[in-house]
Amino acid sequence: MRRISYDLLFVLLAAALLFFLPATLKALYGKASVSYLSLLINATGLAILALSWDILARTGQLSLAHAAFYGAGAYTTAILLKLADWPLWLGIPLGGIVAVLLALLLGSVTLRLRGIYFAIATLAFAEVLKAVVQQLPTRIAGGAAGINVAALFRPAFIPGEMERWEVAFLRNQSYFLVYVGILLLSILVSILVQRSRLKPAFTAIRTNEEVAAVMGVKPARYKLLAFALSSFLVGLLGASEAHRIGSVLPDETFGIGTTVFALVTPIFGGLYTTLGPILGAAGLASVEELLRRTFEEGYLIGYGIVLVASILFMPKGIVGLIDSLKRRRRKLPRSAEEAV
Amino acid sequence: MSILQAQGLSKKFGGLDAVSELSFAVEAKEIFAIIGPNGAGKTTTLNMISGLIKPSAGKLKLNGQEISIKDSAERCHLGLGRAFQVVQPFPEMTVEENVLVGALFGKSGVSEATGRKLAQEVLKQTGLLALKDTPAEELTLLQEKRLEIARALATQPKVLLLDEVMAGLRPGEARQAVELVKNIRNKGVTIVFIEHVMPVVRDLADRVMVMDYGKKLAEGSYQQVTNNPQVIEAYLGAEE
């Protein structure tokens, strides 16, 4: 419990820093801060995606349905606003809730599936959900053409008082803060899982579900809880993204790319940790941006090479690398003593 | 009253009767051994008792309560502990964390503080306290066997099922393990164990059940069953 308050202090500090980050960037870089903020928004979104996927993975459920919950969140807010004059912000929490309901449905039918069979079932679920959304009446879900979604923030341009780019800055700043809010919530959920009795339960189920059950852990309960927590967070993200991007489209919103990034990022950063997915997101977003700026064409090839190399040379991700470096440093003096 | 009762317990795997019409009763605080040749259905029986496989037929009662329809976790909460033949620690966790899983979840409503205290006691009882921060994957076989028992004990069982916990141990180590099991029984825990090492059965068991081809062949004291001609035949083959 003491460790929890230590963690919370750290999160609050990070929150304060992130809160003032946009203004600092603006003061330092002026107009360029707009694109820096875009990059930061992407990285934050990726971190939420990765961390929420990781929370589910801690129970051994390697899901390929993350795009489904992301899409469910996005479509919830889009459909709500299309059908009625709902408050603009309501779609975000509701997006999270709809994602949870779908996750509980999927989770309860995949309880007995393991490994590759679980993965295939979740992938099929995501594809079916996409097909269902495409087939819904156009006046509800927009069909293949999708739905336009109103922006959350529409900062007005005031001639004489501000420059043109400052409108984009204000818009990005507002979205960034929303994303930071969701990321902080995700971090809090993750810390709560890691510092409570959920961690031994999740880890035991991931390592050996039968043994965990014989020791009194109820696998179904914890697997569904992980599904709910994970999908709620990514549902919030999906809904926010729908507003920021301005539209939802079945092929885009339910695209497999979302799922791929959701699982690649924690693997790159370090699975089953709070820090890993965040470091992974920061790392991957930077690598991508760097490659994009260096090679205009075919930068994704370089991106692929980086990923393959990282899995080959740091199988436990960035966090694993840091751990082994720490351990090596701690062990060195001892072996030096033994040598003497 | 018997603390653990099996009535007509049967399990078919395809056309094979792994266990058929098995009935037995274990008294409270008894040490009850199940022996028999390989493939006699001993582990299948334990798996049915702990809820890992569903019986094809038959009933199971723990403390008079029907448990056949309950899942493994519920049986654990009711007082059934289990140590596995093939040790299966959670390798990423330390010894203490492994035991903590049993302590926290073995009974419902155990607080974190109570669970930690319980885990400490069990670690002390099983001689693992010095190793509590060692990752489970770094243990020796004897230590792993101790951990297997410790985790089961941490669930505060009334009945502890031990599946060949002595297998692979050197004689000196087996003696230590025998002492450990006796101590556990002296604290009031009923023990049902499967064992191939006959001296261990002789030293530990109050009563022995012999299984062969999924059926009960004999039951009684160690002396009685080892002098039973049918048992001798099952182990050594019929005399010509």
Side-chain angles (χ1 to χ4, degrees):
Chain A
M1 282 296 144
R2 232 180 321 155
R3 288 200 305 200
I4 280 208
S5 48
Y6 190 72
D7 288 339
L8 290 184
L9 199 69
F10 187 78
V11 171
L12 280 178
L13 205 69
L17 280 177
L18 287 171
F19 186 78
F20 291 111
L21 191 59
T24 315
L25 284 175
K26 189 183 176 195
L28 286 176
Y29 300 106
K31 193 175 172 181
S33 64
V34 175
S35 57
Y36 286 142
L37 270 181
S38 293
L39 175 61
L40 280 170
I41 291 172
N42 285 338
T44 315
L46 188 58
I48 299 165
L49 195 66
L51 191 53
S52 60
W53 184 87
D54 189 80
I55 290 172
L56 179 59
R58 288 171 199 170
T59 56
Q61 302 182 102
L62 302 183
S63 161
L64 297 181
H66 225 50
F69 308 130
Y70 172 93
Y75 263 88
T76 301
T77 191
I79 292 173
L80 272 182
L81 291 175
K82 185 181 166 79
L83 292 184
D85 208 9
W86 294 83
L88 203 54
W89 285 84
L90 190 68
I92 296 179
L94 280 180
I97 291 168
V98 170
V100 169
L101 296 177
L102 287 169
L104 292 178
L105 179 72
L106 173 64
S108 49
V109 296
T110 54
L111 274 176
R112 290 183 180 280
L113 300 180
R114 304 282 161 82
I116 193 79
Y117 303 101
F118 176 85
I120 290 170
T122 53
L123 182 63
F125 177 83
E127 289 302 306
V128 167
L129 193 63
K130 175 166 64 174
V132 167
V133 168
Q134 267 167 341
Q135 298 304 318
L136 281 176
T138 314
R139 69 190 153 75
I140 297 174
I147 311 171
N148 286 329
V149 186
L152 287 176
F153 307 102
R154 263 167 278 184
F157 175 59
I158 311 163
E161 278 186 33
M162 60 198 285
E163 295 185 50
R164 271 279 167 202
W165 62 266
E166 284 181 272
V167 177
F169 172 84
L170 286 177
R171 182 176 177 274
N172 275 1
Q173 172 175 259
S174 308
Y175 277 111
F176 176 66
L177 293 178
V178 170
Y179 280 49
V180 164
I182 300 174
L183 178 61
L184 289 175
L185 179 65
S186 311
I187 292 175
L188 285 179
V189 170
S190 173
I191 289 176
L192 230 66
V193 169
Q194 292 302 83
R195 297 291 194 224
S196 70
R197 57 196 295 137
L198 291 179
K199 186 184 181 187
F202 281 20
T203 312
I205 292 167
R206 179 177 79 234
T207 324
N208 194 329
E209 198 173 318
E210 277 80 23
V211 174
V214 165
M215 292 173 72
V217 183
K218 298 199 160 191
R221 175 189 294 180
Y222 293 102
K223 284 165 93 172
L224 287 177
L225 177 66
F227 248 120
L229 294 174
S230 168
S231 60
F232 182 70
L233 296 169
V234 76
L236 295 183
L237 175 69
S240 313
E241 290 263 274
H243 287 287
R244 186 173 72 97
I245 295 167
S247 64
V248 289
L249 285 161
D251 284 325
E252 295 273 318
T253 311
F254 289 101
I256 184 80
T258 306
T259 297
V260 173
F261 278 111
L263 69 98
V264 164
T265 312
I267 293 172
F268 179 71
L271 285 167
Y272 319 134
T273 58
T274 305
L275 203 55
I278 297 171
L279 289 180
L284 284 185
S286 320
V287 167
E288 191 192 352
E289 186 66 17
L290 207 70
L291 287 171
R292 200 207 307 265
R293 289 184 185 198
T294 321
F295 318 96
E296 279 180 17
E297 298 283 330
Y299 74 95
L300 281 173
I301 298 174
Y303 193 65
I305 292 172
V306 169
L307 282 181
V308 171
S310 72
I311 287 172
L312 283 178
F313 297 111
M314 38 179 221
K316 291 193 167 178
I318 301 172
V319 167
L321 190 70
I322 296 172
D323 277 353
S324 67
L325 288 179
K326 263 199 233 162
R327 220 172 299 149
R328 199 175 299 170
R329 190 179 297 169
R330 232 181 291 141
K331 275 192 181 162
L332 268 181
R334 202 187 300 156
S335 55
E337 265 173 31
E338 282 164 8
V340 174
Chain B
M1 187 190 64
S2 314
I3 191 157
L4 181 69
Q5 267 180 296
Q7 288 165 357
L9 210 55
S10 304
K11 180 67 195 178
K12 277 190 209 292
F13 290 118
L16 175 80
D17 288 315
V19 174
S20 52
E21 291 289 317
L22 184 68
S23 298
F24 62 91
V26 182
E27 304 305 316
K29 296 179 194 170
E30 187 175 33
I31 300 187
F32 186 82
I34 304 178
I35 65 169
N38 285 324
K42 306 181 297 289
T43 297
T44 304
T45 304
L46 281 206
N47 281 344
M48 285 192 279
I49 298 175
S50 49
L52 288 175
I53 56 178
K54 238 173 116 176
S56 316
K59 278 185 178 174
L60 277 164
K61 278 185 182 172
L62 181 68
N63 242 344
Q65 191 177 354
E66 174 80 44
I67 57 166
S68 316
I69 40 157
K70 300 200 181 289
D71 64 34
S72 295
E74 288 167 327
R75 294 182 197 199
C76 177
H77 293 170
L78 288 173
L80 206 54
R82 164 87 186 258
F84 288 89
Q85 175 181 14
V86 181
V87 287
Q88 316 197 27
F90 303 121
E92 303 163 39
M93 300 188 192
T94 65
V95 167
E96 185 181 24
E97 286 166 345
N98 264 278
V99 175
L100 200 56
V101 173
L104 284 175
F105 300 99
K107 291 280 167 292
S108 46
V110 177
S111 75
E112 208 174 312
T114 316
R116 288 194 181 277
K117 216 194 281 171
L118 179 61
Q120 289 296 312
E121 283 167 22
V122 171
L123 286 169
K124 211 182 287 173
Q125 190 186 352
T126 49
L128 286 169
L129 200 55
L131 291 166
K132 72 185 174 80
D133 296 321
T134 309
E137 55 194 347
E138 292 174 12
L139 296 181
T140 65
L141 181 65
L142 175 66
Q143 290 164 346
E144 281 182 327
K145 299 250 170 188
R146 282 182 179 276
L147 178 57
E148 194 64 43
I149 295 176
R151 289 196 310 186
L153 269 186
T155 66
Q156 306 180 61
K158 295 189 187 90
V159 177
L160 181 58
L161 310 174
L162 302 175
D163 192 353
E164 285 202 49
V165 286
M166 312 291 173
L169 296 186
R170 290 188 288 262
E173 295 172 337
R175 267 196 301 280
Q176 287 183 35
V178 165
E179 284 314 305
L180 177 61
V181 173
K182 281 185 178 164
N183 283 336
I184 294 167
R185 189 267 295 273
N186 291 342
K187 298 213 157 128
V189 179
T190 308
I191 288 166
V192 177
F193 75 109
I194 294 178
E195 196 48 75
H196 274 301
V197 185
M198 290 311 275
V200 170
V201 178
R202 184 194 59 214
D203 291 349
L204 272 180
D206 298 321
R207 231 151 33 96
V208 180
M209 174 170 80
V210 189
M211 286 181 72
D212 194 22
Y213 293 110
K215 292 192 172 81
K216 178 152 78 176
L217 199 60
E219 191 180 302
S221 70
Y222 179 81
Q223 293 302 333
Q224 286 168 340
V225 299
T226 48
N227 288 325
N228 183 318
Q230 275 183 299
V231 174
I232 296 168
E233 189 186 313
Y235 268 92
L236 302 175
E239 273 181 71
E240 295 297 322

